[in-house]
Amino acid sequence: MKTPMYKNYEELPLFLNADTVAKALGIVISSAYELMQEKDFPTFKVGNRKFVEKEKFRQWIEAQSGGSK
């Protein structure tokens, strides 16, 4: 596992692409692309590109870790 580039949610941009998701989670970009294909991962499309809103990403992290919504 790679070391996450971002230390807290405030450092994240408003919209995350696969590269940002990878850096935030400390995973390789190919794993981020796979994650963004998952049905429960909150992405939206702009053309052929997928993004996730910062707040929805935070909520997804909390749900995955057993935290509150």
Side-chain angles (χ1 to χ4, degrees), residues 3-66:
T3 303
M5 179 180 169
Y6 299 99
K7 302 298 181 196
N8 57 54
Y9 290 112
E10 289 76 29
E11 293 179 359
L12 292 172
L14 186 58
F15 301 104
L16 292 70
N17 60 16
D19 184 54
T20 310
V21 169
K23 289 176 181 174
L25 295 176
I27 60 176
V28 296
I29 194 165
S30 60
S31 294
Y33 280 117
E34 288 179 22
L35 177 62
M36 292 177 82
Q37 297 299 319
E38 295 291 325
K39 190 175 262 188
D40 71 331
F41 196 76
T43 59
F44 67 95
K45 288 180 82 173
V46 176
N48 290 329
R49 299 183 66 195
K50 286 190 174 186
F51 297 91
V52 60
E53 291 180 52
K54 175 177 161 174
E55 182 60 24
K56 296 215 183 268
F57 180 69
R58 185 191 64 76
Q59 292 170 356
W60 181 85
I61 293 289
E62 287 182 3
Q64 298 306 303
S65 63

